[in-house]
Amino acid sequence: MKSTLLALVSLLFVSCLSDNEPSKPVDYTVQNEKEIVDYIAKNNLTATKTDSGLYYVINEAGTGVQPTASSNVTVAYKGYFTNGNIFDKSDSAGFSFGLNEVIKGWTEGIPYFKEGGNGVLLIPSHLGYGNGSGPIPGGAVLIFDVKLIKVN
């Protein structure tokens, strides 16, 4: 009886230990690619894919200054998931920030536009929030309607 009880307690102890191990990052690359391609097809978009996996659509290229990955810019935007649920939105005056201070998808994507330009960034999770952050779930594809108001 003692050995059975000891075995049971040992099993419970080992089970609790395995629950405390940090979870390994999940690779969402294939899932994200399918989700983005399906979204593009469903919405009849003409998008360009970069080597990193970012997709972008230029509705208006703009005529002003073109930023670099280290520029400070003012951008008006709406961020949403492929199901249309909005998770963030600026006002029409936009929001100013350094492109080296935001997610990789913005650092790479915003320089495709010149001042006055607008379009869409379709960002796979490895260029966004990866395994999640705040209201953004792990593996989420992010879509941003963006307008580059100014390169500061």
Side-chain angles (χ1 to χ4, degrees), residues 34-103:
K34 181 178 179 348
E35 189 174 342
I36 291 170
V37 168
D38 289 351
Y39 182 88
I40 289 168
K42 179 181 176 186
N43 292 281
N44 298 313
L45 300 175
T46 302
T48 301
K49 181 182 180 184
T50 69
D51 291 341
S52 70
L54 172 75
Y55 284 83
Y56 65 94
V57 176
I58 297 178
N59 295 329
E60 292 179 49
T63 57
V65 177
Q66 189 162 8
T68 67
S70 61
S71 294
N72 185 285
V73 296
T74 302
V75 176
Y77 68 91
K78 176 174 76 171
Y80 51 99
F81 302 112
T82 55
N83 66 7
N85 290 342
I86 298 170
F87 59 82
D88 196 12
K89 182 179 181 179
S90 74
D91 60 25
S92 61
F95 181 73
S96 296
F97 52 88
L99 284 174
N100 56 355
E101 300 171 351
V102 292
I103 60 173

Side-chain angles (χ1 to χ4, degrees), residues 138-152:
V141 168
L142 308 177
I143 302 173
F144 288 94
D145 293 339
V146 295
K147 178 175 183 174
L148 179 57
I149 297 171
K150 183 172 172 74
V151 177
N152 304 316

